[in-house]
Structure formats: structure tokens, C-alpha cells
Amino acid sequence: MTISLIPKPESENELITRALALSGKNLSQLATDIHWPIPENLNHNKGWIGQLIEVCLGATAGNLSEPDFQNLGIELKTIPLNSRHTPKETTYVCVVPLLNHTGLQWQDSCVYKKLKRVLWVPIEADPAVILSERKVGHAFLWSPTADDMEILQSDWEEFMELISLGQVESITAHQGEYLQIRPKAANASVITTGIGQDGLRKQTLPRGFYLRTLFTKQILQNIFS
DNA sequence: TGGTGATCATAC
DNA sequence: GTATGATCACCA
């Protein structure tokens, strides 16, 4: 990760204050502030906005498997909004563990750890607006409700059960109420080790947990309606 | 046209 | 390859 010019926030309050100060600014302003060049589009740099916001807010975790703001236990998620101000894409959470997950409990899972406290930063993502002119929206801190947690946990447990039974390759993105499992790799030739139907190790495509837009849309509605 | 499956950049 | 950051692009 690029060395951050901006110190880490020392409290939730400091973080949300900083995040709110970005609202209404466009991506050109933010990139200029930290001396970053702006790509013409995201085709060859899909994570650019997320990394831009990380640096602007002083995130520290880099590519560790920890929340972005380690000292605060808060995960940063940008969320792209279409012209109707609803989520344009699903939200990536973390890699799906395909091996050595026996006995893993929900509260020890990467999904739980990343979602228990999230700073959502909405970003305009209407393709009719060029990247440099897209504006940052109103950020907010969020934790799943008890009902959300129940559904997330039950999705997670069902998926992990299938994986432990060697069914990972039968899982499609149609499954899961709030969570879904989809490929997560540079391309289809990337492989990792999982469990096959015979219970033995088998090479397979790496996968990730994602939040359905149905769920993130609800989160936004509960905040802004 | 939106969701699923596929893919892109980068650090280590 | 595995982790971070996600969006692309095709097809039902």
C-alpha cells in the first residue's frame, strides 16, 4: 500500500468527521489533495476509488486481513451509487476459507469481523459522469441490526457447511439471502486448494463473500429515508 | 437491464 | 498464491 500522508484517526468521532468533510467533493479534488493521478476510467484499476478514500481518511491495515482502521475496529467500504442513488454493485467482504475452517465459529469469521462496524462512503458511479467529476456522498457509520446479524450468520453457516462437505463448486451466486459467494481472482486460471466431493484436497477457483445489493440498498434506505 | 460469473491492479 | 481494493461484461 502507498504510504499514507494522512495520520490515522484516533476515534470514531474523528473518523466520521473527516469522512463527512469529503462529502460533496469530487474525485478530482481528493486525488489532487494527495497528489494522485486520475485514471480515465476504472477498467484497469477497479479498486482505485476505494484506495483513494482509504488514503484520504488515514486507513492503516493495508493488505492485512483486518479492519481498515485497526485501532478502531472499523472497516471502510465505498459503495457505488447509480443515477437512482441505489447500489450499482455488490460489496466484496472477504475471501472464503476453503480449508482448515472446521470448528470456525461465526464470531471468529472474517465476515463477522469486517461487518460488525463499517464506515460506508457512498460514491457517485453513474457512467454518464466522468470519473474525475463523480462526487463523494454522505458517509455514515453502521453496524448490523440483530435481525441482520441472524440472517448473515445463517447464510454464512449454510455456506460453510456446504464447503466442508466438498460442495464448494456447486455453490452459485443465486444462493444466500444477504451474502453470496462468487469467484474472487485475477482470472479463471488462478487456483487455490479446497475440499473435493471425496473429502480430499482439490484445486479450485478462489471465491469471496459479497453483500447483495438488496441488502446494501436496505442499509442506505434505513439511513437516508 | 441487472445479476452472475469473470476479471483488473498491486504488495508481498 | 493470497491478501487488499473492487468493477467489468455478458447473457438470461
Side-chain angles (χ1 to χ4, degrees):
Chain A
M1 176 179 141
T2 307
I3 295 169
S4 172
L5 305 171
I6 295 164
K8 68 180 181 186
E10 295 297 342
S11 68
E12 262 200 16
N13 224 355
E14 185 177 0
L15 175 57
I16 188 66
T17 301
R18 277 189 203 175
L20 288 174
L22 302 184
S23 71
K25 292 193 174 188
N26 64 37
L27 299 183
S28 168
Q29 292 175 280
L30 297 191
T32 301
D33 286 347
I34 60 168
H35 310 291
W36 271 25
I38 306 176
E40 276 199 22
N41 57 58
L42 299 175
N43 290 24
H44 298 285
N45 212 341
K46 297 178 182 177
W48 186 79
I49 295 175
Q51 290 165 340
L52 174 71
I53 302 298
E54 275 189 352
V55 173
C56 287
L57 294 178
T60 56
N63 64 350
L64 302 177
S65 294
E66 296 185 28
D68 295 293
F69 301 96
Q70 297 160 289
N71 56 322
L72 303 177
I74 296 173
E75 174 73 10
L76 171 65
K77 288 292 176 203
T78 59
I79 183 157
L81 302 185
N82 59 30
S83 55
R84 295 173 49 204
H85 301 290
T86 63
K88 183 188 174 192
E89 299 285 349
T90 55
T91 300
Y92 171 68
V93 181
C94 60
V95 169
V96 178
L98 298 182
L99 220 48
N100 299 328
H101 55 265
T102 48
L104 180 63
Q105 297 297 302
W106 162 241
Q107 296 209 336
D108 295 317
S109 70
C110 66
V111 178
Y112 176 85
K113 288 181 191 171
K114 294 223 167 179
L115 294 185
K116 64 183 177 184
R117 196 71 174 149
V118 177
L119 177 71
W120 293 101
V121 182
I123 308 281
E124 184 177 11
D126 180 347
V129 182
I130 62 169
L131 193 57
S132 61
E133 307 254 319
R134 294 185 190 173
K135 287 179 181 172
V136 179
H138 184 102
F140 61 97
L141 281 162
W142 168 89
S143 292
T145 65
D147 288 348
D148 292 338
M149 274 296 193
E150 272 188 32
I151 292 170
L152 291 168
Q153 177 171 357
S154 110
D155 280 347
W156 181 85
E157 286 174 348
E158 285 175 27
F159 282 131
M160 294 312 291
E161 166 105 32
L162 289 170
I163 289 164
S164 66
L165 294 173
Q167 301 295 312
V168 63
E169 293 187 330
S170 73
I171 297 173
T172 79
H174 295 281
Q175 291 163 265
E177 187 171 347
Y178 286 173
L179 285 177
Q180 65 181 176
I181 285 182
R182 306 215 307 278
K184 170 60 173 167
N187 57 64
S189 65
V190 175
I191 50 166
T192 190
T193 306
I195 301 171
Q197 293 195 321
D198 51 10
L200 299 176
R201 290 177 172 226
K202 180 177 192 296
Q203 296 304 107
T204 188
L205 187 62
R207 289 136 211 275
F209 285 112
Y210 295 79
L211 298 179
R212 293 188 174 284
T213 52
L214 167 78
F215 182 47
T216 51
K217 182 179 174 184
Q218 281 179 27
I219 294 172
L220 292 168
Q221 280 176 345
N222 289 337
I223 295 290
F224 295 114
S225 63

mmCIF file of all heavy atoms in Angstrom, chain A residues 88-118:
data_model
loop_
_atom_site.group_PDB
_atom_site.id
_atom_site.type_symbol
_atom_site.label_atom_id
_atom_site.label_comp_id
_atom_site.label_asym_id
_atom_site.label_seq_id
_atom_site.Cartn_x
_atom_site.Cartn_y
_atom_site.Cartn_z
ATOM 1 N N LYS A 88 -24.954 0.179 -7.151
ATOM 2 C CA LYS A 88 -24.760 -0.292 -8.526
ATOM 3 C C LYS A 88 -24.120 -1.676 -8.538
ATOM 4 O O LYS A 88 -24.296 -2.435 -9.492
ATOM 5 C CB LYS A 88 -23.855 0.708 -9.248
ATOM 6 C CG LYS A 88 -23.597 0.408 -10.700
ATOM 7 C CD LYS A 88 -22.533 1.362 -11.244
ATOM 8 C CE LYS A 88 -22.146 0.982 -12.665
ATOM 9 N NZ LYS A 88 -20.926 1.696 -13.092
ATOM 10 N N GLU A 89 -23.368 -1.974 -7.504
ATOM 11 C CA GLU A 89 -22.642 -3.248 -7.451
ATOM 12 C C GLU A 89 -22.814 -3.894 -6.080
ATOM 13 O O GLU A 89 -23.157 -3.226 -5.112
ATOM 14 C CB GLU A 89 -21.139 -3.012 -7.680
ATOM 15 C CG GLU A 89 -20.782 -2.392 -9.013
ATOM 16 C CD GLU A 89 -20.872 -3.374 -10.169
ATOM 17 O OE1 GLU A 89 -21.002 -4.590 -9.904
ATOM 18 O OE2 GLU A 89 -20.815 -2.925 -11.324
ATOM 19 N N THR A 90 -22.531 -5.192 -6.033
ATOM 20 C CA THR A 90 -22.448 -5.892 -4.761
ATOM 21 C C THR A 90 -21.208 -5.401 -4.023
ATOM 22 O O THR A 90 -20.363 -4.719 -4.597
ATOM 23 C CB THR A 90 -22.329 -7.401 -4.991
ATOM 24 O OG1 THR A 90 -21.207 -7.632 -5.846
ATOM 25 C CG2 THR A 90 -23.576 -7.963 -5.647
ATOM 26 N N THR A 91 -21.108 -5.741 -2.745
ATOM 27 C CA THR A 91 -19.972 -5.284 -1.930
ATOM 28 C C THR A 91 -19.131 -6.477 -1.502
ATOM 29 O O THR A 91 -19.627 -7.388 -0.835
ATOM 30 C CB THR A 91 -20.485 -4.547 -0.677
ATOM 31 O OG1 THR A 91 -21.261 -3.426 -1.092
ATOM 32 C CG2 THR A 91 -19.318 -4.072 0.196
ATOM 33 N N TYR A 92 -17.867 -6.446 -1.896
ATOM 34 C CA TYR A 92 -16.947 -7.515 -1.512
ATOM 35 C C TYR A 92 -16.661 -7.450 -0.013
ATOM 36 O O TYR A 92 -16.469 -6.367 0.535
ATOM 37 C CB TYR A 92 -15.643 -7.380 -2.296
ATOM 38 C CG TYR A 92 -14.557 -8.307 -1.826
ATOM 39 C CD1 TYR A 92 -14.671 -9.682 -1.995
ATOM 40 C CD2 TYR A 92 -13.426 -7.813 -1.186
ATOM 41 C CE1 TYR A 92 -13.681 -10.541 -1.542
ATOM 42 C CE2 TYR A 92 -12.429 -8.665 -0.736
ATOM 43 C CZ TYR A 92 -12.563 -10.027 -0.914
ATOM 44 O OH TYR A 92 -11.588 -10.867 -0.462
ATOM 45 N N VAL A 93 -16.658 -8.614 0.647
ATOM 46 C CA VAL A 93 -16.370 -8.637 2.079
ATOM 47 C C VAL A 93 -14.999 -9.242 2.355
ATOM 48 O O VAL A 93 -14.116 -8.576 2.879
ATOM 49 C CB VAL A 93 -17.460 -9.404 2.866
ATOM 50 C CG1 VAL A 93 -17.140 -9.387 4.353
ATOM 51 C CG2 VAL A 93 -18.834 -8.814 2.597
ATOM 52 N N CYS A 94 -14.819 -10.509 2.010
ATOM 53 C CA CYS A 94 -13.533 -11.165 2.269
ATOM 54 C C CYS A 94 -13.472 -12.490 1.528
ATOM 55 O O CYS A 94 -14.467 -12.942 0.954
ATOM 56 C CB CYS A 94 -13.328 -11.384 3.771
ATOM 57 S SG CYS A 94 -14.597 -12.415 4.534
ATOM 58 N N VAL A 95 -12.295 -13.078 1.538
ATOM 59 C CA VAL A 95 -12.075 -14.354 0.876
ATOM 60 C C VAL A 95 -12.821 -15.457 1.629
ATOM 61 O O VAL A 95 -12.943 -15.410 2.851
ATOM 62 C CB VAL A 95 -10.564 -14.651 0.836
ATOM 63 C CG1 VAL A 95 -10.278 -16.084 0.402
ATOM 64 C CG2 VAL A 95 -9.861 -13.664 -0.076
ATOM 65 N N VAL A 96 -13.322 -16.431 0.901
ATOM 66 C CA VAL A 96 -13.975 -17.586 1.514
ATOM 67 C C VAL A 96 -12.912 -18.603 1.914
ATOM 68 O O VAL A 96 -12.135 -19.033 1.066
ATOM 69 C CB VAL A 96 -14.955 -18.251 0.524
ATOM 70 C CG1 VAL A 96 -15.586 -19.490 1.152
ATOM 71 C CG2 VAL A 96 -16.027 -17.269 0.082
ATOM 72 N N PRO A 97 -12.870 -18.977 3.205
ATOM 73 C CA PRO A 97 -11.902 -20.006 3.616
ATOM 74 C C PRO A 97 -12.365 -21.367 3.107
ATOM 75 O O PRO A 97 -13.484 -21.789 3.387
ATOM 76 C CB PRO A 97 -11.937 -19.934 5.149
ATOM 77 C CG PRO A 97 -13.284 -19.388 5.485
ATOM 78 C CD PRO A 97 -13.690 -18.510 4.322
ATOM 79 N N LEU A 98 -11.499 -22.033 2.358
ATOM 80 C CA LEU A 98 -11.886 -23.323 1.764
ATOM 81 C C LEU A 98 -11.235 -24.499 2.470
ATOM 82 O O LEU A 98 -11.496 -25.649 2.158
ATOM 83 C CB LEU A 98 -11.509 -23.339 0.277
ATOM 84 C CG LEU A 98 -12.206 -22.296 -0.596
ATOM 85 C CD1 LEU A 98 -11.776 -22.443 -2.042
ATOM 86 C CD2 LEU A 98 -13.728 -22.431 -0.486
ATOM 87 N N LEU A 99 -10.354 -24.196 3.427
ATOM 88 C CA LEU A 99 -9.577 -25.255 4.075
ATOM 89 C C LEU A 99 -9.371 -24.879 5.543
ATOM 90 O O LEU A 99 -9.330 -23.695 5.885
ATOM 91 C CB LEU A 99 -8.220 -25.341 3.373
ATOM 92 C CG LEU A 99 -7.596 -26.708 3.099
ATOM 93 C CD1 LEU A 99 -8.591 -27.655 2.460
ATOM 94 C CD2 LEU A 99 -6.382 -26.519 2.207
ATOM 95 N N ASN A 100 -9.242 -25.868 6.384
ATOM 96 C CA ASN A 100 -8.901 -25.638 7.795
ATOM 97 C C ASN A 100 -9.887 -24.723 8.509
ATOM 98 O O ASN A 100 -9.498 -23.922 9.339
ATOM 99 C CB ASN A 100 -7.498 -25.022 7.919
ATOM 100 C CG ASN A 100 -6.439 -25.946 7.347
ATOM 101 O OD1 ASN A 100 -6.585 -27.161 7.405
ATOM 102 N ND2 ASN A 100 -5.409 -25.360 6.789
ATOM 103 N N HIS A 101 -11.149 -24.834 8.176
ATOM 104 C CA HIS A 101 -12.144 -23.973 8.811
ATOM 105 C C HIS A 101 -13.031 -24.779 9.757
ATOM 106 O O HIS A 101 -14.020 -24.270 10.266
ATOM 107 C CB HIS A 101 -13.003 -23.309 7.748
ATOM 108 C CG HIS A 101 -13.630 -24.292 6.822
ATOM 109 N ND1 HIS A 101 -13.059 -24.627 5.627
ATOM 110 C CD2 HIS A 101 -14.728 -25.041 6.933
ATOM 111 C CE1 HIS A 101 -13.809 -25.545 5.045
ATOM 112 N NE2 HIS A 101 -14.817 -25.812 5.821
ATOM 113 N N THR A 102 -12.685 -26.046 9.984
ATOM 114 C CA THR A 102 -13.506 -26.850 10.896
ATOM 115 C C THR A 102 -13.465 -26.243 12.292
ATOM 116 O O THR A 102 -12.402 -25.903 12.800
ATOM 117 C CB THR A 102 -13.012 -28.302 10.952
ATOM 118 O OG1 THR A 102 -11.592 -28.281 11.146
ATOM 119 C CG2 THR A 102 -13.329 -29.042 9.668
ATOM 120 N N GLY A 103 -14.636 -26.092 12.885
ATOM 121 C CA GLY A 103 -14.710 -25.502 14.209
ATOM 122 C C GLY A 103 -14.735 -23.994 14.201
ATOM 123 O O GLY A 103 -14.856 -23.374 15.248
ATOM 124 N N LEU A 104 -14.629 -23.404 13.024
ATOM 125 C CA LEU A 104 -14.680 -21.941 12.947
ATOM 126 C C LEU A 104 -16.077 -21.456 13.299
ATOM 127 O O LEU A 104 -17.067 -21.917 12.724
ATOM 128 C CB LEU A 104 -14.296 -21.477 11.532
ATOM 129 C CG LEU A 104 -14.305 -19.970 11.283
ATOM 130 C CD1 LEU A 104 -13.282 -19.260 12.160
ATOM 131 C CD2 LEU A 104 -14.044 -19.662 9.811
ATOM 132 N N GLN A 105 -16.143 -20.557 14.252
ATOM 133 C CA GLN A 105 -17.429 -20.010 14.677
ATOM 134 C C GLN A 105 -17.699 -18.697 13.955
ATOM 135 O O GLN A 105 -16.776 -17.985 13.569
ATOM 136 C CB GLN A 105 -17.419 -19.757 16.190
ATOM 137 C CG GLN A 105 -17.250 -21.016 17.014
ATOM 138 C CD GLN A 105 -18.409 -21.993 16.817
ATOM 139 O OE1 GLN A 105 -19.565 -21.635 17.052
ATOM 140 N NE2 GLN A 105 -18.100 -23.205 16.375
ATOM 141 N N TRP A 106 -18.988 -18.390 13.834
ATOM 142 C CA TRP A 106 -19.421 -17.161 13.167
ATOM 143 C C TRP A 106 -18.684 -15.931 13.705
ATOM 144 O O TRP A 106 -18.167 -15.119 12.948
ATOM 145 C CB TRP A 106 -20.926 -17.012 13.329
ATOM 146 C CG TRP A 106 -21.485 -15.630 13.093
ATOM 147 C CD1 TRP A 106 -22.145 -14.848 13.984
ATOM 148 C CD2 TRP A 106 -21.450 -14.897 11.863
ATOM 149 N NE1 TRP A 106 -22.517 -13.661 13.394
ATOM 150 C CE2 TRP A 106 -22.112 -13.667 12.099
ATOM 151 C CE3 TRP A 106 -20.936 -15.149 10.590
ATOM 152 C CZ2 TRP A 106 -22.262 -12.692 11.118
ATOM 153 C CZ3 TRP A 106 -21.081 -14.165 9.604
ATOM 154 C CH2 TRP A 106 -21.736 -12.959 9.873
ATOM 155 N N GLN A 107 -18.595 -15.829 15.035
ATOM 156 C CA GLN A 107 -17.991 -14.627 15.596
ATOM 157 C C GLN A 107 -16.479 -14.560 15.391
ATOM 158 O O GLN A 107 -15.871 -13.536 15.662
ATOM 159 C CB GLN A 107 -18.331 -14.517 17.080
ATOM 160 C CG GLN A 107 -19.845 -14.350 17.280
ATOM 161 C CD GLN A 107 -20.202 -13.588 18.523
ATOM 162 O OE1 GLN A 107 -19.426 -13.533 19.470
ATOM 163 N NE2 GLN A 107 -21.377 -12.970 18.530
ATOM 164 N N ASP A 108 -15.891 -15.649 14.913
ATOM 165 C CA ASP A 108 -14.458 -15.632 14.586
ATOM 166 C C ASP A 108 -14.232 -15.524 13.086
ATOM 167 O O ASP A 108 -13.080 -15.539 12.627
ATOM 168 C CB ASP A 108 -13.781 -16.906 15.112
ATOM 169 C CG ASP A 108 -13.807 -16.971 16.634
ATOM 170 O OD1 ASP A 108 -13.546 -15.935 17.263
ATOM 171 O OD2 ASP A 108 -14.104 -18.056 17.168
ATOM 172 N N SER A 109 -15.318 -15.453 12.313
ATOM 173 C CA SER A 109 -15.193 -15.446 10.851
ATOM 174 C C SER A 109 -14.778 -14.071 10.343
ATOM 175 O O SER A 109 -15.014 -13.044 10.990
ATOM 176 C CB SER A 109 -16.532 -15.828 10.213
ATOM 177 O OG SER A 109 -17.476 -14.779 10.395
ATOM 178 N N CYS A 110 -14.197 -14.060 9.166
ATOM 179 C CA CYS A 110 -13.790 -12.786 8.570
ATOM 180 C C CYS A 110 -15.004 -11.937 8.232
ATOM 181 O O CYS A 110 -14.946 -10.715 8.303
ATOM 182 C CB CYS A 110 -12.913 -13.028 7.337
ATOM 183 S SG CYS A 110 -13.770 -13.831 5.964
ATOM 184 N N VAL A 111 -16.116 -12.578 7.892
ATOM 185 C CA VAL A 111 -17.325 -11.816 7.553
ATOM 186 C C VAL A 111 -17.812 -11.035 8.772
ATOM 187 O O VAL A 111 -18.074 -9.832 8.696
ATOM 188 C CB VAL A 111 -18.449 -12.748 7.044
ATOM 189 C CG1 VAL A 111 -19.714 -11.945 6.756
ATOM 190 C CG2 VAL A 111 -18.004 -13.498 5.803
ATOM 191 N N TYR A 112 -17.906 -11.726 9.907
ATOM 192 C CA TYR A 112 -18.355 -11.063 11.141
ATOM 193 C C TYR A 112 -17.412 -9.924 11.518
ATOM 194 O O TYR A 112 -17.846 -8.812 11.817
ATOM 195 C CB TYR A 112 -18.442 -12.080 12.281
ATOM 196 C CG TYR A 112 -18.807 -11.465 13.611
ATOM 197 C CD1 TYR A 112 -20.141 -11.244 13.945
ATOM 198 C CD2 TYR A 112 -17.816 -11.071 14.513
ATOM 199 C CE1 TYR A 112 -20.477 -10.666 15.159
ATOM 200 C CE2 TYR A 112 -18.147 -10.500 15.730
ATOM 201 C CZ TYR A 112 -19.479 -10.293 16.041
ATOM 202 O OH TYR A 112 -19.813 -9.708 17.242
ATOM 203 N N LYS A 113 -16.122 -10.204 11.505
ATOM 204 C CA LYS A 113 -15.152 -9.201 11.947
ATOM 205 C C LYS A 113 -15.182 -7.943 11.091
ATOM 206 O O LYS A 113 -15.007 -6.830 11.588
ATOM 207 C CB LYS A 113 -13.739 -9.800 11.924
ATOM 208 C CG LYS A 113 -13.482 -10.815 13.009
ATOM 209 C CD LYS A 113 -12.049 -11.323 12.903
ATOM 210 C CE LYS A 113 -11.833 -12.542 13.795
ATOM 211 N NZ LYS A 113 -10.514 -13.150 13.527
ATOM 212 N N LYS A 114 -15.404 -8.138 9.781
ATOM 213 C CA LYS A 114 -15.387 -6.966 8.893
ATOM 214 C C LYS A 114 -16.687 -6.192 8.917
ATOM 215 O O LYS A 114 -16.703 -4.998 8.653
ATOM 216 C CB LYS A 114 -15.071 -7.406 7.471
ATOM 217 C CG LYS A 114 -13.661 -7.948 7.348
ATOM 218 C CD LYS A 114 -12.966 -7.448 6.128
ATOM 219 C CE LYS A 114 -11.490 -7.763 6.244
ATOM 220 N NZ LYS A 114 -10.748 -7.311 5.063
ATOM 221 N N LEU A 115 -17.799 -6.893 9.212
ATOM 222 C CA LEU A 115 -19.096 -6.213 9.106
ATOM 223 C C LEU A 115 -19.610 -5.658 10.424
ATOM 224 O O LEU A 115 -20.583 -4.908 10.434
ATOM 225 C CB LEU A 115 -20.143 -7.168 8.515
ATOM 226 C CG LEU A 115 -19.891 -7.589 7.067
ATOM 227 C CD1 LEU A 115 -21.062 -8.434 6.572
ATOM 228 C CD2 LEU A 115 -19.680 -6.387 6.155
ATOM 229 N N LYS A 116 -18.976 -5.999 11.542
ATOM 230 C CA LYS A 116 -19.551 -5.576 12.821
ATOM 231 C C LYS A 116 -19.519 -4.056 12.989
ATOM 232 O O LYS A 116 -20.316 -3.497 13.738
ATOM 233 C CB LYS A 116 -18.861 -6.272 13.994
ATOM 234 C CG LYS A 116 -17.413 -5.938 14.157
ATOM 235 C CD LYS A 116 -16.807 -6.742 15.312
ATOM 236 C CE LYS A 116 -15.323 -6.438 15.420
ATOM 237 N NZ LYS A 116 -14.669 -7.254 16.462
ATOM 238 N N ARG A 117 -18.616 -3.396 12.301
ATOM 239 C CA ARG A 117 -18.597 -1.932 12.309
ATOM 240 C C ARG A 117 -18.040 -1.465 10.974
ATOM 241 O O ARG A 117 -16.880 -1.756 10.651
ATOM 242 C CB ARG A 117 -17.724 -1.417 13.465
ATOM 243 C CG ARG A 117 -17.949 0.055 13.796
ATOM 244 C CD ARG A 117 -19.288 0.277 14.442
ATOM 245 N NE ARG A 117 -19.496 1.651 14.901
ATOM 246 C CZ ARG A 117 -20.703 2.225 14.938
ATOM 247 N NH1 ARG A 117 -21.771 1.549 14.546
ATOM 248 N NH2 ARG A 117 -20.840 3.464 15.380
ATOM 249 N N VAL A 118 -18.841 -0.741 10.205
ATOM 250 C CA VAL A 118 -18.438 -0.325 8.860
ATOM 251 C C VAL A 118 -18.655 1.174 8.692
ATOM 252 O O VAL A 118 -19.676 1.713 9.123
ATOM 253 C CB VAL A 118 -19.252 -1.069 7.770
ATOM 254 C CG1 VAL A 118 -18.881 -0.574 6.371
ATOM 255 C CG2 VAL A 118 -19.057 -2.576 7.874
#
